[in-house]
């Protein structure tokens, strides 16, 4: 309120305090009038103020925005003497008078109220922050993780402080299968992005939640990734699907795979090498009927052996499922460039596709190879034209290769050694191989019903050093040397098969080996129909006649050989059923 020396009521009162009449004192009236004049002037100036600021510094800062003669007020400056009424003169504010007391008091009250309001707002904000942080902590601890739309949009989103894990529904678009769970704790993941706002930070993919949707990743021009390896990295970060109760057999809806689709025109100029990881939840397929592998891009071994595969797995790993046909070009070095190679307890599956079999054609090395107790399923596949062996199992490994095409291999179509097993049951094509259609050695075991081993450069079928080959109804025609050879304690079954037009012998058993060839046709060969040297052959009901009439070179025993040739056609080198120094032929 304004302060007066005396109020008008006191100056002009008609009676004094005792009730006696009185007249105003001229001095009191003069003082009162002067104070009133000052107040009126102050109020007049204040009511005409062009600008009001809290401090003199703030008023001075805006002097350039006003004209000479404008009035400005300073109401709550920390320095009391700076408060007052100012007039702009020559670009500077000059104090004209003190603020009226009531104006100053009101300004002070407003300042206090503003301070109190600010402090209250601050306290409310801190409370809200603490509540949000508490909620975030509770949400995370209970697994209720906030969900966002896309990774692409996270740069513009502020994730509240205290939230340490989030779910994102996609990468470029919600539902594209490339989202997942992320944490702001650096777990070493290379799949990262940053959120925005005041709490900006990096988020790392969390690999521990599993997946319940199928995903397709495309590779090639216009696709999601430029290389298979980039897609495999992304797929491995997504992880395998969750186990689904009561329904896992052949159902992509209950056990959804991640499909890596190779787009038309894609050339594989890389190696897919897996060490110790199970990537069987990934399936590689292609739009083209054949996808080219650039052989010169194969440069890296996967283990200590001199094998440099396009698809390689070791140390107990599992390759992605291969559901495409690849063909290796002729660039670069051929030796050791295998199509599929599994080593040291590892596994691979080449998916079955009867109408257009999958696999790797024209590999520089082996088409498909399992070594050191590894296992490959390659049923009804195509590994033809290999620079070494079509399908090769070694060191106690196993391969299922029924109905497969391993024709045209430079060495052997099927090759098993060191107690390994190949199951090629039913009409496997092992034709036109450089050395052997089927070859097993050192305890190797091959089961191949009705294989086509014709046109082999050396032997159609060859078992060596304690090996076993079961190849009933085999076609071993036109072999360069022998149609069927068993050597060094080996056993071969070719019952019902044939070996015609071979360079030397149709059937040839040596050194305690045994060939079972009931009803076998070994006619028309250059040297002998059948020949047993310190070994045993059974050709009951078969035909070993070389020419138009029986001859002593048709059925031959040497060094104690034994041949059972009951009802067999062909001449013999010893009288039947009589023990001779050469051996015995029963018939």
């Amino acid at each position: 309120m304004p302060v007066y020396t005396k109020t008008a009521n006191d100056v002009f009162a008609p009676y004094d305090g005792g009730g006696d009449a009185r007249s105003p004192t001229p001095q009191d009236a003069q003082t009162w009038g002067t104070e009133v004049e000052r107040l009126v002037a102050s109020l007049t100036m204040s009511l005409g103020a062009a600008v009001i600021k809290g401090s003199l510094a703030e008023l001075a800062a805006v002097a350039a925005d006003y004209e000479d003669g404008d009035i400005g007020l300073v109401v709550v400056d920390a320095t009391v003497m700076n408060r007052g009424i100012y007039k702009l003169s020559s670009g500077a504010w000059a104090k004209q008078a003190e603020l009226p007391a009531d104006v100053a008091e009101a300004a002070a009250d407003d300042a206090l109220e503003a301070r109190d309001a600010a402090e209250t707002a601050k306290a409310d904000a801190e409370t809200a922050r603490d509540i949000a942080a508490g909620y975030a902590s509770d949400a995370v601890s209970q697994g209720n993780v906030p969900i966002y739309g896309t990774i692409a949009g996270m740069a513009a989103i502020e994730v509240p402080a205290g939230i340490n894990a989030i779910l994102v529904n996609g990468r470029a678009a919600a539902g594209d299968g490339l989202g997942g769970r992320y944490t702001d704790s650096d777990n070493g993941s290379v799949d990262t992005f940053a959120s925005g706002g005041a709490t900006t930070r990096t988020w790392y993919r969390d690999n521990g939640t599993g997946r319940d949707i199928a995903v397709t990743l495309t590779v090639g021009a216009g696709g999601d990734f430029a290389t298979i390896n980039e897609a495999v990295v992304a797929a491995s970060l997504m992880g395998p699907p969750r186990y689904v109760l009561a329904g896992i057999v052949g159902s992509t809806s209950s056990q959804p795979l991640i499909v890596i689709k190779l787009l038309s025109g894609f050339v594989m100029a890389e190696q897919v090498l897996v060490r110790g990881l199970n990537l069987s939840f990934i399936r590689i397929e292609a739009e083209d009927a054949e996808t080219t592998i650039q052989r010169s891009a194969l440069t890296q071994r996967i283990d200590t052996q001199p094998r440099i595969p396009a698809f390689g797995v070791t140390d107990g790993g599992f390759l992605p499922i291969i559901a495409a046909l690849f063909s290796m070009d002729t660039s670069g070095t051929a030796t050791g460039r295998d199509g599929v190679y599994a080593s040291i307890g590892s596994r691979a599956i080449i998916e079955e596709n009867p109408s257009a079999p999958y696999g790797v054609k024209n590999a520089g090395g082996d088409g498909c190879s399992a070594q050191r107790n590894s296992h490959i399923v390659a049923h009804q596949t195509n590994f033809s034209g290999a620079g070494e062996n079509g399908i090769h199992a070694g060191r106690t490994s196993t391969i299922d290769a029924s109905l497969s095409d391993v024709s045209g291999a430079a060495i052997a179509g099927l090759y098993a050694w060191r107690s390994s097993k190949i199951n090629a049951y039913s009409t496997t094509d092992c034709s036109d191989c450089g050395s052997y259609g089927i070859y097993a050695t050192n305890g190797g075991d091959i089961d191949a019903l009705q294989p086509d081993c014709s046109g082999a450069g050396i032997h159609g079928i060859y078992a060596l050093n304690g090996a076993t080959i079961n190849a009933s109804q085999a076609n071993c025609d036109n072999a360069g040397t022998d149609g069927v050879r068993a050597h060094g304690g080996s056993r071969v079954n070719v019952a019902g098969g044939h070996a015609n037009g071979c360079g030397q012998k149709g059937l040839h058993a040596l050194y305690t080996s045994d060939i079972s060839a009931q009803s076998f046709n070994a006619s028309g060969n250059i040297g002998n129909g059948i020949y047993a040297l310190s070994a045993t052959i059974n050709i009951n009901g078969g035909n070993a006649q070389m020419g138009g009439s029986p001859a002593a070179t048709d059925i031959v025993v040497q060094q104690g050989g034994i041949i059972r040739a009951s009802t067999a056609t062909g001449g013999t080198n010893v009288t039947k059923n009589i023990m001779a120094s050469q051996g015995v032929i029963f018939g």
Side-chain angles (χ1 to χ4, degrees):
M1 294 295 293
V3 178
Y4 298 94
T5 304
K6 288 184 178 181
T7 67
N9 187 55
D10 293 334
V11 171
F12 299 104
Y15 301 99
D16 61 17
D20 297 328
R22 63 174 295 275
S23 297
T25 302
Q27 185 178 0
D28 289 342
Q30 184 182 23
T31 300
W32 179 83
T34 300
E35 291 173 347
V36 170
E37 288 172 352
R38 289 177 179 173
L39 175 60
V40 171
S42 295
L43 290 174
T44 299
M45 295 179 71
S46 65
L47 290 173
V51 58
I52 301 174
K53 292 293 183 180
S55 69
L56 180 57
E58 292 174 331
L59 184 64
V62 297
D65 298 332
Y66 297 90
E67 298 178 353
D68 284 354
D70 286 342
I71 301 301
L73 304 183
V74 176
V75 293
V76 289
D77 196 298
T79 302
V80 176
M81 293 300 295
N82 289 342
R83 301 174 189 174
I85 302 169
Y86 289 78
K87 184 177 182 179
L88 189 65
S89 177
S90 300
W93 297 102
K95 188 172 182 179
Q96 304 297 306
E98 299 294 337
L99 289 172
D102 56 348
V103 175
E105 184 177 346
D109 290 343
D110 290 343
L112 289 172
E113 290 178 6
R115 181 199 66 189
D116 293 343
E119 290 179 350
T120 300
K122 177 182 177 183
D124 291 344
E126 290 175 346
T127 300
R129 179 201 64 194
D130 293 342
I131 291 172
Y135 167 76
S137 177
D138 291 344
V140 173
S141 66
Q142 296 173 24
N144 301 319
V145 179
I147 300 174
Y148 296 91
T150 65
I151 291 172
M154 288 303 297
I157 294 177
E158 180 175 329
V159 180
I163 296 291
N164 304 114
I166 61 175
L167 288 173
V168 188
N169 283 333
R171 184 174 296 275
D176 64 10
L178 302 179
R181 178 182 170 116
Y182 289 80
T183 175
D184 63 1
S185 176
D186 187 351
N187 58 12
S189 173
V190 297
D191 185 1
T192 65
F193 63 85
S195 58
T199 63
T200 182
R201 55 198 187 273
T202 300
W203 297 87
Y204 304 82
R205 180 178 287 276
D206 183 348
N207 299 329
T209 60
R211 182 175 46 80
D212 54 10
I213 60 171
V215 177
T216 297
L217 308 176
T218 55
V219 176
D224 299 315
F225 301 96
T227 68
I228 298 174
N229 277 284
E230 290 173 354
V232 171
V233 168
S236 65
L237 290 171
M238 294 177 199
R242 297 182 181 90
Y243 178 79
V244 179
L245 293 176
I248 63 171
V249 179
S251 173
T252 56
S253 61
S254 62
Q255 289 274 290
L257 295 175
I258 295 177
V259 174
I260 294 177
K261 179 178 288 188
L262 309 182
L263 300 179
S264 182
F266 173 77
V267 174
M268 182 179 171
E270 59 187 311
Q271 294 172 263
V272 176
L273 304 179
V274 178
R275 186 183 300 277
L277 297 178
N278 185 344
L279 300 182
S280 61
F281 62 90
I282 301 171
R283 179 178 185 267
I284 299 176
E285 61 182 45
E287 289 184 341
D288 290 338
E290 292 185 16
T291 297
T292 298
I293 296 174
Q294 183 179 316
R295 195 172 70 190
S296 60
L298 310 184
T299 59
Q300 184 176 343
R301 296 185 184 188
I302 192 171
D303 58 13
T304 60
Q305 303 303 304
R307 314 311 301 179
I308 304 173
F311 297 93
V313 58
T314 190
D315 294 348
F318 205 136
L319 276 174
I321 294 172
I322 297 173
L325 177 61
F326 295 85
S327 181
M328 201 173 289
D329 70 14
T330 58
S331 64
T333 301
T335 303
R337 272 58 179 180
D338 299 337
V340 178
Y341 176 80
S343 175
I344 311 179
S346 298
R347 300 179 67 188
I349 295 175
I350 296 83
E351 191 172 293
E352 179 180 357
N353 187 39
S355 60
Y358 302 136
V360 179
K361 296 169 52 179
N362 305 318
D366 294 336
C368 177
S369 177
Q371 304 294 318
R372 300 184 184 185
N373 198 31
S374 295
H375 178 67
I376 295 177
V377 176
H379 184 76
Q380 202 156 12
T381 53
N382 186 346
F383 290 100
S384 61
E388 296 177 29
N389 304 289
I391 291 178
H392 176 186
R395 299 184 181 183
T396 67
S397 297
T398 58
I399 299 178
D400 176 11
S402 298
L403 297 166
S404 292
D405 183 355
V406 291
S407 61
I411 300 176
L414 301 178
Y415 174 37
W417 63 295
R418 290 274 185 94
S419 303
S420 295
K421 168 77 174 179
I422 295 176
N423 175 24
Y425 193 79
S426 186
T427 61
T428 296
D429 186 354
C430 305
S431 62
D432 300 317
C433 293
S435 295
Y436 319 110
I438 296 175
Y439 177 38
T441 185
N442 297 324
D445 186 348
I446 297 176
D447 187 5
L449 174 67
Q450 296 179 327
D452 182 357
C453 300
S454 62
I458 301 177
H459 309 310
I461 292 174
Y462 185 26
L464 176 66
N465 295 338
T468 300
I469 297 175
N470 177 26
S472 59
Q473 303 177 54
N475 175 1
C476 299
D477 293 347
N478 303 312
T481 303
D482 299 334
V484 179
R485 175 180 283 204
H487 191 149
S490 298
R491 296 175 58 85
V492 176
N493 171 34
V494 286
H498 49 91
N500 310 125
C502 297
Q504 292 188 13
K505 301 171 175 58
L507 300 174
H508 190 181
L510 302 91
Y511 307 117
T512 69
S513 294
D514 180 88
I515 297 177
S516 176
Q518 287 181 290
S519 303
F520 191 88
N521 186 342
S523 63
N525 297 300
I526 303 300
N528 308 104
I530 60 176
Y531 191 99
L533 175 68
S534 299
T536 302
I537 297 176
N538 176 13
I539 192 174
N540 289 336
N543 183 357
Q545 186 168 301
M546 307 300 298
S549 59
T553 57
D554 294 340
I555 302 173
V556 178
V557 291
Q558 292 291 344
Q559 298 181 23
I562 300 173
I563 294 178
R564 299 178 180 87
S566 176
T567 69
T569 301
T572 62
N573 71 323
V574 297
T575 303
K576 288 184 177 181
N577 302 316
I578 301 293
M579 185 67 69
S581 59
Q582 297 95 328
V584 61
I585 298 173
F586 298 104

